[in-house]
Amino acid sequence: MARAAASKRIEQLRQEIRHHDHLYYVLDKPVLSDQAYDKLYRELVDLEKEHPDLITPDSPTQRVGGEPLKAFKTVTHKVPLMSLEKANNEEELLAFDKRVREALNNKDFDYFLEMKYDGLAISLKYENGILTQGATRGDGIHGEDVTTNIRTIKTIPLRLLKEVNIEVRGEVVLLNDDFIKLNEQRADNDEPLFANPRNAAAGSVRQLDPKISSDRPLMFFPYYGSPQKGIQTEDKMREYLSELGFKLNPLWKYSSIEEVIKAVHNLEDKRGKLDYEIDGVVVKVNDFVSQNKMGATARAPRWAIAFKYSPMQAESVIEDIQVQVGRTGAITPVAHLQPVHLAGVIVKRATLHNEDEIRRKEIRIKDHVKVQRAGEVIPEVVEVIKSKRTGHEKEFVMPQKCPVCGAEIFKPEGEAIARCTNATCPAQVMGRVRLFTSREAMDIEHVGWALIDQLVDRKLIHDAADLYTLEKADIMKLERMADKSAQNVINSIKASLDRPLERLIYALGIRLIGRRTAQLLADHYHDIDSLAGAQEDELSKIHEIGPKVAASIVTFFKQKGNRELIAKLKRAGVRVKGQGSRVIGPLSGKTFVFTGGLANYTRTSAEELVRKLGGSASGSVSKQTDYVVAGTDPGSKYEKARKLGVTILTEKEFEQLVGKGG
Ligand SMILES: [Zn+2]
């Protein structure tokens, strides 16, 4: 397309895409089908490829992170981000009210209330409606320039719906569900866990590699806009921010402190059920004239106060302490509690982390304890209420033998975690097979945890490779297994034979190897034997692979049991070759999921076609899925795809994409 025409079309496309992004991410009211949206987006990408000089930073295609940074630049906030006075009880709120009324000579005014998010405070600068800078609060005066990272947050508009100059401040948060998933992933990768969603949000924004922050589904909620002509109150400012394209949460306006107090308690009762963490409520005088009249002290405005909620804690009794054995043999003590209500859910168990932690907190069986929960994560025991001890409490003794297999438990010098030393321990086998079959690994849809536990218990399998030699008759002997469900199990195991190499590498459960590293290794080695034969120095030369990871890989493949496992997997027909030996085609790098009945293909033949063209096929939908092809009577995969915003194709559209028909 000629440059002038392209330029015009690009602008049109960007406007349309922005409009639909706003409907989708901010208002939760998409009007366009995923296919139609994707078409617009692809057209824009193609035109920008053709005319790279027309790419501007506010283009919707420019959300994906660029190169990693060495360090963040420092930003000086012209108007410092101040702290807030804090109130911990009603009396302090009443005292605040008294100060406000005196300062305003008892003139009529309203209070404005909004949630105090537990996240990372960010300041955004817009010039003529275009995002030019994002910075952390820092110490209030000096923050860090995190523009590249916050650009990946979908609820932060790259371009506002009006061409204005404004500074917007707000909080970046991670939803509780996403927090749990992130920690599960990190646990799998042997990475340290985030203590709470706030740390996770802050850690994600303050990532020097924007690709990592773009992987994490962060949200932005604004609570401040710099002065704008004609806007005189907090509630009008929020309305205006919403008109500019920001996502707003509920906010409230009241004319008396009594109403405020009622609302503060109301919200406290509900906060365990919110999708995100809040640690309190902020109460502000609503109109800016009164705010200016009251002014600020050296560190905080006089017209606002933060009511802090106490942490989500409850009291319970430890009935017993039992240990769990994980995939790597790690022994984790868990407190079994008298069930207790905690911010909307019933808690029965709390993690005690490890033996040292139990000693440090002096926890005994039958102790009364304070339990705390952040998000929906497993609660933890904060402290023992020693004043309630009766003398009948019992010290917990870490078992010397594995409670599952009876093998020796070994705790290496200087490490916190004790481990079962028996690699064939059923608990470890179950853990390893669970990882192997999981959606992120070999994606074996019909083999769930309960089934794995039975298979291991009955010695029908001793490792993941044994899954492939199972017969329908074996499975039908198990509980609640009818003919059809047994067949589903067998089919889904068969379907996993041809998963991409990176999935197999991840599925092996090599210590320190997460999905990202597995992908790197698959890209580099192309088949499992070359990887198994790699030396430490050679591995370390791969970008992003450090000496620890390299050593872990070599150690894994040195072990006889692991080498036998791989030989067994090969004999079973599991694909052990990767991308390098695969066709590079028009679908390279794209993942497809098929659901429902297709007119011209069986599931297998459709998947083969995708692979022939360089793509890959998966049994279940995730954020990594590029396309879901929906035939007749599509099931839950279709819904899931819609929810995740994955592009959904009809069979006809699929055929057009692969160059047949249409
Ligand atoms: Zn064991």
Side-chain angles (χ1 to χ4, degrees), residues 83-96:
S83 315
L84 290 174
E85 291 290 339
K86 296 195 175 48
N88 295 304
N89 51 46
E90 285 181 22
E91 287 68 44
E92 287 168 9
L93 276 181
L94 290 168
F96 166 71

Side-chain angles (χ1 to χ4, degrees), residues 382-396:
V382 188
E383 60 175 355
V384 172
I385 306 167
K386 290 197 180 136
S387 59
K388 293 206 173 170
R389 278 198 174 150
T390 61
H392 294 291
E393 294 77 17
K394 271 201 312 196
E395 290 235 15
F396 167 72

Side-chain angles (χ1 to χ4, degrees), residues 132-371:
T132 54
Q133 188 186 70
T136 62
R137 176 182 185 279
D139 60 6
I141 297 168
H142 301 289
E144 286 170 325
D145 185 336
V146 289
T147 315
T148 15
N149 287 346
I150 54 102
R151 292 176 68 84
T152 64
I153 301 173
K154 298 283 198 337
T155 38
I156 293 182
L158 298 181
R159 175 189 232 166
L160 301 175
L161 299 173
K162 295 178 181 175
E163 288 181 10
V164 290
N165 296 322
I166 189 169
E167 183 194 353
V168 177
R169 294 173 181 175
E171 204 88 351
V172 169
V173 301
L174 188 67
L175 301 187
N176 291 337
D177 278 354
D178 293 320
F179 168 68
I180 296 165
K181 277 188 215 139
L182 180 62
N183 258 353
E184 281 172 359
Q185 252 177 45
R186 291 176 73 84
D188 276 350
N189 295 357
D190 271 331
E191 288 170 314
L193 301 189
F194 288 117
N196 50 50
R198 172 168 42 84
N199 287 356
S204 305
V205 171
R206 299 189 62 259
Q207 253 296 336
L208 289 166
D209 185 350
K211 286 209 182 67
I212 296 179
S213 37
S214 79
D215 265 357
R216 301 185 185 162
L218 299 164
M219 305 279 278
F220 178 80
F221 298 126
Y223 53 65
Y224 165 91
S226 59
Q228 300 291 307
K229 221 175 148 192
I231 296 178
Q232 297 294 341
T233 59
E234 295 283 352
D235 61 323
K236 290 279 181 264
M237 178 59 86
R238 295 307 177 282
E239 272 172 36
Y240 184 65
L241 291 177
S242 159
E243 284 164 27
L244 292 181
F246 288 96
K247 191 177 181 83
L248 283 196
N249 270 326
L251 15 105
W252 303 272
K253 201 168 77 172
Y254 297 106
S255 53
S256 75
I257 196 71
E258 287 74 24
E259 287 172 303
V260 168
I261 289 174
K262 219 168 121 190
V264 164
H265 291 315
N266 259 335
L267 186 62
E268 184 165 21
D269 291 339
K270 284 187 209 137
R271 77 168 158 144
K273 292 188 179 138
L274 296 174
D275 294 336
Y276 38 82
E277 296 270 295
I278 59 170
D279 58 1
V281 184
V282 179
V283 184
K284 293 175 179 171
V285 171
N286 192 36
D287 69 286
F288 297 153
V289 174
S290 300
Q291 287 184 4
N292 289 335
K293 196 165 170 224
M294 292 187 72
T297 66
R299 56 177 292 277
R302 291 194 176 90
W303 42 265
I305 197 158
F307 186 92
K308 292 277 278 180
Y309 290 141
S310 47
M312 290 196 271
Q313 287 187 345
E315 199 184 312
S316 181
V317 177
I318 297 185
E319 300 280 13
D320 197 7
I321 297 177
Q322 290 175 9
V323 297
Q324 280 177 356
V325 187
R327 164 168 66 85
T328 58
I331 309 272
T332 313
V334 175
H336 292 243
L337 303 166
Q338 248 171 35
V340 59
H341 272 278
L342 183 46
V345 299
I346 295 171
V347 170
K348 290 185 212 157
R349 263 176 257 266
T351 176
L352 299 170
H353 302 289
N354 56 55
E355 199 181 0
D356 296 347
E357 194 74 3
I358 298 179
R359 300 268 167 278
R360 197 175 61 75
K361 290 179 179 163
E362 296 178 49
I363 295 167
R364 295 177 194 166
I365 298 164
K366 297 292 172 201
D367 258 338
H368 287 254
V369 289
K370 266 192 199 152
V371 194

Side-chain angles (χ1 to χ4, degrees), residues 18-19 60 116 126 162 286 346 415 445 461 480 604:
R18 268 182 216 121
H19 172 66
K116 188 170 178 299
Y126 288 89
K162 295 178 181 175
N286 192 36
I346 295 171
E415 278 188 28
E445 199 182 346
I461 61 173
R480 285 190 295 275
T604 321

Side-chain angles (χ1 to χ4, degrees), residues 325 329 331 401-408 420-422 424-428:
V325 187
I331 309 272
K401 304 240 184 265
C402 170
V404 179
C405 73
E408 206 75 30
C420 160
T421 49
N422 168 19
T424 61
C425 169
Q428 292 189 44

